[in-house]
Amino acid sequence: MSADSTHKSQAELAEFVARAATEHGIPGVSVGVWADGRETFAGHGVTSIDNPLPVDENTLFLVGSATKTFTATALMRLVADGRVELDAPVRRYVPELVLADEKAAAEITVLNLLNHTSGLDWNIIVDTGDGDDALAAFVEKMADLPFIGEPGGRASYSQAGFNLLGRVLENVTGLTYERAVASLLIEPLGLTNSFFGTDEVMTRRFAVGHNPDEDGNLAVAREWKLTRANNPGGGLATSASDILAWARFQLGDGLTESGERLLPTELLHRMREQTVELRASNLGDGFGICWFLREADGVRTIEHGGSVNGQFVELVLVPERNFAVVAMSNAGPGGIPFNRSVVRWALEHHLGVVDKDPEPLAYDATRAQEVVAAYENEAMTLTVATDGAELTLAAAIKPEIRASADFEMPADYEPAAMGLLPGDGDEFIVIGGGLEGQRGFFSRDTSGAVAGIDLGGRMFGRVSAVSV
């Protein structure tokens, strides 16, 4: 690529990013693209509306659940060294583990945790402190975590499962989770803008999240980071430049840029191979080892996103085309739609890949009455309602959890239009609001009645009807 074409590509990316950030009302965004053997970055806006500093490719954002790709890859390094076996019971490495179902606790494997088939519910809301024993204390609390299925059965996304994997790393290496990931991955890859500790982050330029206040105006999210025990599932702060370097490693053959082998090629590539199918999810068609796997317009992608209280990230790789894009944004509810628009623009602009949402069916009053209800998991309630003309979906943190929390929690998602999709009629797509483009499905019991809803890879059980 010539210097002129490189400059043109940078200008086109910067123009689109600025326009999309303005359209979605995002104070600050950072985007990186790896295409044609070159990195291109675009930063727009500011880190905070209260203390505005310009955003660029080195500005730190919290990447939430994209941290899981680091946890999983660190585990694969231990697999390569023969220190961990994927099919071994997790109790081999965490013998202190006690769960609500003793039989399941004995059966859950490392791979079940890595591909979210452990049967564990999403998470437990508990703060076990900032000490080096935070993960050990979290694991002690896991006896209170419900099960949503049998180990090895259906996939259901579990933050708690990845926190438990962090404890595997601690017990096997004899290090804290954070130190283990740093020594196994961050340091050998030269990721100098990637940190777990707030003491390290606060000396650098970093973004803060924003959420709408009671008047609908954006305000800084005062709880900046999750608890330390949630680091394995969502605690990394990093930059677009480091995430793109991370993507280039994942696209490669297991070597660092200096030629050091971190992983055998076959193990690195095994992470991209489907281990379990996902149904009706915009996140992917299946899980590999941690990665969401998806086909978009005839090309296979590996992906992972994340969110933490007003900060959002989306990372998409296309191995067969040696391509990657990362989008980072610092406000809800527009962060997810902004990131999706950037990813789609980059896929089409660089690869000619057109990624479109499926078209929903026309409103059907009879089908609507089947699904109208409240659904919940450990932390959240989804409400599907109708006004007689369209279905809507709202997502809210449970009031009792919000009331008991001693920190600020993310804003709820207000009701937004949703539509059922062709097929068996149990699949749906959200077509408005901050969850626009999110897909899921309704599950049924043995009698054929709607018993649950899946959204974002997580299961919510039906708890009550909702008045029309």
Side-chain angles (χ1 to χ4, degrees):
M1 184 181 287
S2 68
D4 286 345
S5 58
T6 299
H7 179 74
K8 180 182 178 183
S9 180
Q10 290 174 329
E12 289 171 336
L13 178 64
E15 179 183 357
F16 179 84
V17 165
R19 185 169 67 250
T22 301
E23 176 185 343
H24 291 286
I26 314 296
V29 300
S30 185
V31 172
V33 177
W34 170 253
D36 302 316
R38 291 178 180 269
E39 292 180 335
T40 307
F41 295 101
H44 176 79
V46 295
T47 56
S48 165
I49 60 174
D50 286 355
N51 182 29
L53 297 171
V55 171
D56 62 19
E57 68 268 25
N58 296 314
T59 302
L60 303 181
F61 283 72
L62 286 169
V63 297
S65 286
T67 306
K68 292 179 173 69
T69 65
F70 286 79
T71 301
T73 306
L75 258 297
M76 294 303 282
R77 286 210 66 189
L78 300 185
V79 170
D81 292 341
R83 303 169 72 184
V84 168
E85 294 181 16
L86 291 176
D87 292 328
V90 70
R91 265 201 180 151
R92 179 184 299 179
Y93 311 106
V94 189
E96 67 270 27
L97 178 65
V98 175
L99 297 174
D101 184 324
E102 171 56 28
K103 181 175 181 290
E107 293 178 353
I108 293 171
T109 67
V110 174
L111 181 59
N112 290 151
L113 297 176
L114 286 165
N115 69 4
H116 298 282
T117 59
S118 65
L120 293 169
D121 204 346
W122 172 65
N123 205 8
I124 46 175
I125 308 300
V126 60
D127 186 352
T128 56
D130 295 326
D132 288 350
D133 64 345
L135 265 178
F138 180 91
V139 170
E140 288 183 8
K141 300 286 188 181
M142 286 186 67
D144 299 329
L145 183 67
F147 275 82
I148 57 89
E150 297 292 325
R154 54 153 294 160
S156 185
Y157 196 84
S158 179
Q159 170 85 359
F162 261 77
N163 293 341
L164 179 54
L165 285 170
R167 186 60 179 158
V168 173
L169 278 168
E170 289 190 335
N171 283 352
V172 173
T173 64
L175 304 171
T176 65
Y177 163 79
E178 297 82 7
R179 185 68 219 134
V181 173
S183 62
L184 290 167
L185 296 175
I186 291 174
E187 291 167 359
L189 288 171
L191 304 180
T192 56
N193 282 327
S194 299
F195 310 98
F196 287 100
T198 52
D199 287 347
E200 297 167 303
V201 171
M202 68 184 293
T203 61
R204 295 163 174 85
R205 184 166 299 184
F206 63 95
V208 301
H210 300 80
N211 292 309
D213 62 17
E214 293 180 355
D215 298 321
N217 301 313
L218 285 183
V220 169
R222 296 298 172 185
E223 181 68 17
W224 182 74
K225 193 175 185 293
L226 298 173
T227 61
R228 183 173 178 180
N230 281 290
N231 276 350
L236 185 67
T238 187
S239 63
S241 57
D242 266 17
I243 285 290
L244 217 53
W246 175 241
R248 290 171 61 184
F249 170 73
Q250 293 289 338
L251 290 168
D253 58 6
L255 297 173
T256 68
E257 291 190 355
S258 64
E260 177 188 356
R261 177 161 296 285
L262 289 191
L263 266 180
T265 303
E266 61 270 21
L267 277 184
L268 183 67
H269 290 184
R270 184 179 175 185
M271 296 180 70
R272 314 172 188 168
E273 297 173 5
Q274 183 165 304
T275 59
V276 65
E277 184 178 358
L278 284 174
R279 177 187 174 195
S281 174
N282 61 290
L283 298 174
D285 306 312
F287 277 118
I289 291 178
C290 179
W291 290 105
F292 289 96
L293 312 179
R294 191 168 67 94
E295 185 173 303
D297 196 18
V299 303
R300 292 184 69 246
T301 69
I302 64 173
E303 312 180 6
H304 217 296
S307 63
V308 181
N309 201 8
Q311 297 192 59
F312 304 87
V313 65
E314 190 66 34
L315 173 63
V316 176
L317 291 72
V318 184
E320 66 193 64
R321 305 287 290 274
N322 191 28
F323 171 89
V325 56
V326 60
M328 313 167 86
S329 52
N330 70 349
I336 293 174
F338 167 82
N339 289 349
R340 292 178 74 244
S341 71
V342 168
V343 166
R344 288 182 165 179
W345 179 90
L347 287 170
E348 184 170 5
H349 185 79
H350 290 280
L351 305 183
V353 171
V354 179
D355 187 17
K356 292 183 177 179
D357 289 330
E359 289 291 329
L361 297 167
Y363 178 80
D364 182 318
T366 301
R367 296 306 304 274
Q369 289 304 316
E370 284 192 281
V371 301
V372 165
Y375 305 82
E376 69 176 15
N377 67 7
E378 185 74 4
M380 296 186 68
T381 299
L382 301 183
T383 303
V384 178
T386 181
D387 61 1
E390 69 174 5
L391 285 167
T392 60
L393 183 144
I397 294 171
K398 289 182 175 179
E400 63 271 24
I401 290 179
R402 191 179 289 280
S404 64
D406 58 2
F407 55 89
E408 180 182 324
M409 303 190 81
D412 297 332
Y413 285 95
E414 296 298 319
M418 64 181 291
L420 299 176
L421 292 172
D424 62 12
D426 284 338
E427 299 180 7
F428 67 86
I429 184 169
V430 183
I431 53 179
L435 295 176
E436 182 179 358
Q438 301 292 298
R439 292 173 58 195
F441 66 93
F442 295 96
S443 56
R444 296 177 181 270
D445 60 23
T446 54
S447 72
V450 172
I453 185 174
D454 273 65
L455 182 67
R458 301 168 186 169
M459 191 196 81
F460 298 76
R462 183 170 184 155
V463 290
S464 67
V466 173
S467 299
V468 179

